[in-house]
Amino acid sequence: MKTYNELIFSLKKTYDILIIGSGIGGLVSALILAKEGLKVCVLEKTINMAETYRHFQEIN
């Protein structure tokens, strides 16, 4: 099993941009950067991507 530092180092070699969090800001940023031709990786600690957005929709 890789350590945290080894994992981040290997991701940095594969992707141009690492985005932490799949909220609205993270996903929109990833979309814009990918459209510009960058290799983007979005990391999320929860199972569901855009969980904050889904929660916001349920409240409103």
Side-chain angles (χ1 to χ4, degrees), residues 18-51:
L18 298 176
I19 296 177
I20 311 298
S22 68
I24 295 295
L27 293 177
V28 170
S29 297
L31 175 67
I32 292 168
L33 292 167
K35 282 186 172 184
E36 292 295 320
L38 296 170
K39 293 180 189 173
V40 180
C41 177
V42 178
L43 302 174
E44 175 57 49
K45 69 178 179 178
T46 63
I47 294 171
N48 299 320
M49 297 290 273
E51 184 69 28

